[in-house]
């Protein structure tokens, strides 16, 4: 049946609505008209949360096409709300008294499980201040059913000092309405439009010169829309685009994204970007002219920029403010590649060093599984924070490497997976890593090629290629390099602290034992049975690393403490098999 609007009820196809009495149940009108076998006019709605009754068809008649098999429903007009104006939402949010439901939520449970009302100290004073709109600088109107601005020019006179506005989960869809709201709030710096399904941007928006932070999470905005919005967002510093199914970055006029001259943070979490080439389109630097007059010039590239010299003047074009934070968690990336400037002519001519000012690159929950990608992060000139958690390379249960190996390979990283890399952790990680590589080199000398920092770290800590020799009575000597950094004592032993954590082990005091470097995980399990009198239990051991949120399972009974890079003052948790 053909979609047809019914002006008598005020609903139109494409309009955003919410269920009467539940402003969080939001959907898009897909059909307005009669339904065979039923009287009156019906409104077909495709619900955002997918909780409907059908796919838009009833009794074999397809009235509209819902996005899933059970996200659509046909509803009577009185059961839907078309929303309210921004000003009405402000009045309702800040000037109306608390509803019975809101008051009912303000309680705690007593020891006898009875509800005791909470008395908010200063509540009346806070409410009085919020009700004076001329003083209001921050407003949260999330899920208030805002669908249009309201009376022209009245917003500015009502809330002239508004700086931050949260419109999450409302019924806005037309960029014209957004432009009208922002145009009447000259002091507005932060705007959150998350969970408003925005229609494709077609008309020209007024310059939004005051907007510094724009949040467009789960709005259906693609990169083509971002490029069009760029012309209005002349001062944007933070742009959040989470959950918009973006798979490609599509610059308008070249192979690299241009403009966004003040953008410091770009959040592309939870999208569908699979190719690193798409990320590289964000690496374009802009150049600032530092002087204007020159004649008969020559040019050369320098680390600080392009130097142009003439007979009497010198001109420097320095890279301007560029991306400092790029969030790419929960995408589909398989690898990272920082390009070789010598082979990237276009990059060298236009931006010199890609991502020159990038300090934070978050890549958690992707598909990165190779150490070459990890090593590429060292080539970003100023990168000091990264995230690789929930990638195959960091999953030790599926062939990934532990935290200490990743820290050792990442020379400049100061914050890893959300926690600080302390000088102590870096020291210990790098030495453990060198020992691990040395133990493997004896089995495969070609492996050195896979460890770019090995020689540097080996030289830094003075570690030799020797391994402890083992006689009939056990280890006798240890290489001189193994004396570094307090990991091993002169006798080739290390002080290891053992802690029982198994549920059936009871409360046992931690023990610190001096163990030889050649002690295997299997041998240590046997020793723990003796130390803690755990004869009837099957044990498993975990290494508790500084800065790591989860301990690392020691799952190879034949690996020695030295092979695993475990040294002095390490903590091993003793648990039991399930």
């Amino acid at each position: 049946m053909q979609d047809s609007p019914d002006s008598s009820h005020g609903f139109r196809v494409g309009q955003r609505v919410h269920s009467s009495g539940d402003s969080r149940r939001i959907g898009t009108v897909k059909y307005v008209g009669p339904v065979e076998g039923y009287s009156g006019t019906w409104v077909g709605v495709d619900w955002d949360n997918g909780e409907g009754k059908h796919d838009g068809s009833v009794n074999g008649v397809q009235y509209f096409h819902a996005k899933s098999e059970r996200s659509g429903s046909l509803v009577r007009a009185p059961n839907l709300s078309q929303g309210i104006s921004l000003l009405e939402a402000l009045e309702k949010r800040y000037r109306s008294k608390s509803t019975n439901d809101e008051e009912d939520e303000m309680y705690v449970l007593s020891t006898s499980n009875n509800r005791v009302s909470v008395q908010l100290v200063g509540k009346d004073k806070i409410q009085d201040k919020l009700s004076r709109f001329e003083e209001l600088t921050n407003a949260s109107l999330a899920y208030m059913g805002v669908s249009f601005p309201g009376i022209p020019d009245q917003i500015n006179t009502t809330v002239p000092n508004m700086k931050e506005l949260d419109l999450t989960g409302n019924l806005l869809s037309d960029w014209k309405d957004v432009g009208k709201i922002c145009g009447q709030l000259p002091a507005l710096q932060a705007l959150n439009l998350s969970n408003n399904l925005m229609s494709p941007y077609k008309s020209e928006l007024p310059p939004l010169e005051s907007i510094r932070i724009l949040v467009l999470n789960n709005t259906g905005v693609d990169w083509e829309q971002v490029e069009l919005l760029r012309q209005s967002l002349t001062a944007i510093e933070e742009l959040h685009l989470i959950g918009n199914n973006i798979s490609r970055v599509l610059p308008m006029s070249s192979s690299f994204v241009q403009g966004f001259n003040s953008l410091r943070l770009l959040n592309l979490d939870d999208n569908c970007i699979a190719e690193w080439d798409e990320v590289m389109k964000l690496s374009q630097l802009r150049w600032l002219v530092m002087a204007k007059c020159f004649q008969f010039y020559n040019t050369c590239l320098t680390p600080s920029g392009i130097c142009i010299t003439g007979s009497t003047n010198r001109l420097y074009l320095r890279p301007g403010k560029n991306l400092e934070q790029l969030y790419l968690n929960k995408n589909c990336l398989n690898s990272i590649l920082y390009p070789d400037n010598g082979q990237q002519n276009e990059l060298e001519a236009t931006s010199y060093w890609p991502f020159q000012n990038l300090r934070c690159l978050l890549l958690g929950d992707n598909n990165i599984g190779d150490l070459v990608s990890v090593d590429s992060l060292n080539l970003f000139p100023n990168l000091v924070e990264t995230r690789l958690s929930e990638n195959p390379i960091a999953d030790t249960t599926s062939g990934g490497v532990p935290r200490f190996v990743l820290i050792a390979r990442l020379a400049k990283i100061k914050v890893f997976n959300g926690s600080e890399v302390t000088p102590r952790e870096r020291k210990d990680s790098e030495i453990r890593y060198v020992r691990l590589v040395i133990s493997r080199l004896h089995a495969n000398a070609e492996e050195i090629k896979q460890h770019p920092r090995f020689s540097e770290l080996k030289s830094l800590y003075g570690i030799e290629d020797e391994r402890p020799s083992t006689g009939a009575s056990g280890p006798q000597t240890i290489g001189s390099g193994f004396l570094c950094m307090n990991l091993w004592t002169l006798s080739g032993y290390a002080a290891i602290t053992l802690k029982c954590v198994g549920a059936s082990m009871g409360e046992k005091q931690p023990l610190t034992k001096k163990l030889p470097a050649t002690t295997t995980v299997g041998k240590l399990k046997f020793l723990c049975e003796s130390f803690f009198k755990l004869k009837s239990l099957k044990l498993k051991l975990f290494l508790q690393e500084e800065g790591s949120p989860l301990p690392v399972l020691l799952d190879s009974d034949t690996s020695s403490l030295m092979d695993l890079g475990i040294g002095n003052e390490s903590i091993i948790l003793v648990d039991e098999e399930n």
Side-chain angles (χ1 to χ4, degrees):
M1 202 168 190
Q2 186 176 1
D3 292 353
S4 60
D6 187 337
S7 59
S8 63
H9 291 85
F11 291 97
R12 67 183 186 280
V13 173
Q15 181 181 6
R16 299 283 283 167
V17 295
H18 68 72
S19 179
S20 295
D22 186 358
S23 60
R24 289 180 175 268
R25 189 166 191 246
I26 301 171
T28 303
V29 175
K30 294 290 187 176
Y31 171 78
V32 181
V35 174
E36 190 175 308
Y38 297 89
S39 62
T41 300
W42 293 78
V43 183
V45 181
D46 195 3
W47 300 104
D48 291 358
N49 61 9
E51 296 178 2
K53 294 183 178 180
H54 47 70
D55 64 354
S57 63
V58 178
N59 296 329
V61 179
Q62 191 82 46
Y63 294 97
F64 63 94
H65 293 279
K67 63 178 178 291
S68 66
E69 291 183 357
R70 300 192 65 82
S71 65
S73 61
L74 288 160
V75 188
R76 290 291 192 183
N79 294 325
L80 297 173
S81 172
Q82 301 184 64
I84 59 179
S85 71
L86 176 70
L87 291 175
E88 288 176 300
L90 284 167
E91 289 282 344
K92 186 177 179 180
R93 173 68 177 81
Y94 293 106
R95 282 187 175 160
S96 63
K97 293 185 178 180
S98 300
T99 64
N100 291 335
D101 290 341
E102 289 171 338
E103 295 290 350
D104 194 45
E105 291 177 358
M106 299 301 296
Y107 70 89
V108 294
L109 294 176
S110 67
T111 54
S112 58
N113 208 37
N114 293 322
R115 290 188 177 190
V116 179
S117 296
V118 175
Q119 180 67 40
L120 289 178
V121 178
K123 175 183 175 183
D124 293 338
K125 290 183 179 179
I126 294 172
Q127 192 66 36
D128 178 63
K129 183 176 180 180
L130 291 174
S131 66
R132 296 198 297 272
F133 282 175
E134 68 277 2
E135 298 180 14
L136 198 62
T137 58
N138 306 311
S140 177
L141 302 178
Y143 296 97
M144 295 288 291
V146 176
S147 60
F148 62 101
I151 302 173
D153 301 325
Q154 198 170 11
I155 296 176
N156 186 27
T157 56
T158 305
V159 282
N161 297 307
M162 185 69 66
K163 293 182 179 179
E164 298 181 13
L165 180 58
D166 183 0
L167 290 172
T168 296
N170 282 282
L171 306 181
L172 295 167
S173 60
D174 195 328
W175 283 105
K176 285 184 179 179
D177 290 333
V178 175
K180 289 176 183 177
I181 292 172
C182 295
Q184 294 184 56
L185 296 173
L188 189 65
Q189 296 181 6
L191 177 63
N192 190 343
L193 292 172
S194 296
N195 298 330
N196 289 271
L197 188 59
M198 304 305 299
S199 300
Y201 174 57
K202 297 178 181 178
S203 59
E204 184 176 348
L205 282 178
L208 307 179
E209 297 176 351
S210 64
I211 298 294
R212 301 288 187 271
I213 301 172
L214 181 61
V215 186
L216 296 174
N217 300 338
N218 302 302
T219 56
V221 171
D222 60 19
W223 195 264
E224 289 179 322
Q225 296 292 298
V226 173
E227 287 282 329
L228 292 171
L229 288 169
R230 177 194 60 170
Q231 302 169 27
S232 296
L233 300 169
T234 55
I236 190 73
E237 295 179 5
E238 290 188 20
L239 182 58
H240 299 262
L241 299 167
I242 298 174
N244 287 313
N245 292 317
I246 295 173
S247 60
R248 298 192 61 198
V249 176
L250 301 170
M252 290 183 66
S253 56
S254 72
S255 57
F256 295 96
V257 175
Q258 298 179 349
F260 292 113
N261 294 335
S262 299
L263 191 64
R264 297 183 297 103
L265 185 155
L266 178 59
N267 189 339
L268 286 166
D269 284 352
D270 197 14
N271 279 287
C272 307
I273 300 173
E275 301 296 331
W276 187 253
D277 285 346
E278 299 300 317
V279 179
M280 286 304 302
K281 295 174 184 177
L282 303 169
S283 67
Q284 176 70 51
L285 300 178
R286 69 186 179 97
W287 300 90
L288 297 180
V289 176
M290 306 301 292
K292 293 185 179 179
C293 299
F294 59 93
Q295 293 178 340
F296 306 108
Y297 57 85
N298 295 309
T299 63
C300 64
L301 286 174
T302 71
S304 60
I306 297 177
C307 175
I308 303 177
T309 57
S311 58
T312 56
N313 299 287
R314 177 169 294 178
L315 172 69
Y316 278 100
L317 303 180
R318 295 182 184 274
K321 196 172 188 179
N322 192 238
L323 269 185
E324 295 176 1
Q325 300 179 65
L326 178 58
Y327 301 168
L328 292 166
N329 299 304
K330 295 185 178 181
N331 275 273
C332 308
L333 292 166
N334 295 303
S335 62
I336 309 163
L337 177 63
Y338 193 90
D340 181 352
N341 280 341
Q343 299 176 4
Q344 299 290 328
N345 295 330
E346 185 176 1
L347 272 175
E348 188 171 359
T350 57
S351 61
Y352 200 31
W353 288 317
F355 294 117
Q356 186 163 356
N357 292 329
L358 193 68
R359 297 179 58 80
C360 174
L361 177 60
L362 304 186
L363 296 158
D365 200 0
N366 277 274
N367 302 320
I368 299 167
D370 63 298
L371 286 168
V372 173
S373 291
V374 175
D375 296 334
S376 290
L377 295 174
N378 286 317
L379 300 176
F380 287 74
N382 290 293
L383 191 67
V384 294
E385 179 177 357
T386 192
R387 179 182 292 276
L388 290 171
S389 55
E390 298 183 78
N391 279 279
I393 193 62
D395 185 0
T396 56
T397 64
S398 301
V401 297
R403 176 182 170 94
F404 82 89
V405 171
L406 295 172
I407 288 174
R409 296 183 81 115
L410 296 170
K412 298 177 290 186
I413 296 301
K414 297 179 180 179
V415 180
F416 183 65
N417 288 346
S419 62
E420 179 188 3
V421 179
T422 64
R424 164 75 180 273
E425 184 184 13
R426 174 159 293 284
K427 239 176 176 182
D428 289 352
S429 295
E430 290 176 345
I431 291 186
R432 286 178 62 192
Y433 171 68
V434 172
R435 295 187 185 287
L436 180 64
V437 176
I438 287 176
S439 69
R440 291 178 175 177
L441 286 179
H442 288 271
N444 181 11
E446 288 296 312
E447 188 168 339
I448 187 65
K449 299 176 182 178
Q450 302 173 23
H451 302 275
R453 296 199 71 213
F454 172 72
S455 297
E456 169 199 346
L457 295 176
K458 179 170 168 287
S459 174
L460 175 64
Y461 296 114
I463 301 176
E464 302 296 336
D465 286 342
E466 303 172 42
R467 302 185 74 193
S469 59
T470 305
S473 60
Q476 303 297 319
T477 61
I478 197 164
S480 60
F482 288 174
L483 309 180
C484 298
M485 293 305 303
N486 202 30
L487 282 180
W488 297 97
T489 63
L490 289 169
S491 59
Y493 286 70
I496 307 295
T497 298
L498 304 169
K499 292 183 178 180
C500 285
V501 296
S504 65
M505 293 178 181
E507 293 188 10
K508 297 183 182 293
Q509 292 296 319
L511 295 177
T512 299
K513 296 288 185 178
K514 285 189 176 181
L515 301 172
T518 53
T519 302
T520 64
V521 172
K523 175 65 174 178
L524 184 54
K525 288 179 182 178
F526 175 77
L527 292 174
C528 286
E529 291 179 7
S530 175
F531 293 154
F532 296 107
K533 297 180 171 54
L534 303 171
K535 298 293 185 182
S536 60
L537 297 177
K538 187 175 181 181
L539 304 182
K540 57 181 179 179
L541 307 180
F542 295 86
L543 174 64
Q544 182 174 300
E545 297 184 284
E546 181 182 353
S548 181
L550 296 174
V552 177
L553 175 65
L554 305 179
D555 55 357
S556 175
D557 283 355
T558 59
S559 296
S560 68
L561 297 181
M562 183 186 67
D563 291 339
L564 296 171
I566 299 174
N568 210 39
E569 300 183 6
S570 293
I571 298 174
I572 292 179
L573 307 180
V574 183
D575 201 354
E576 57 189 305
E577 293 280 3
N578 292 330

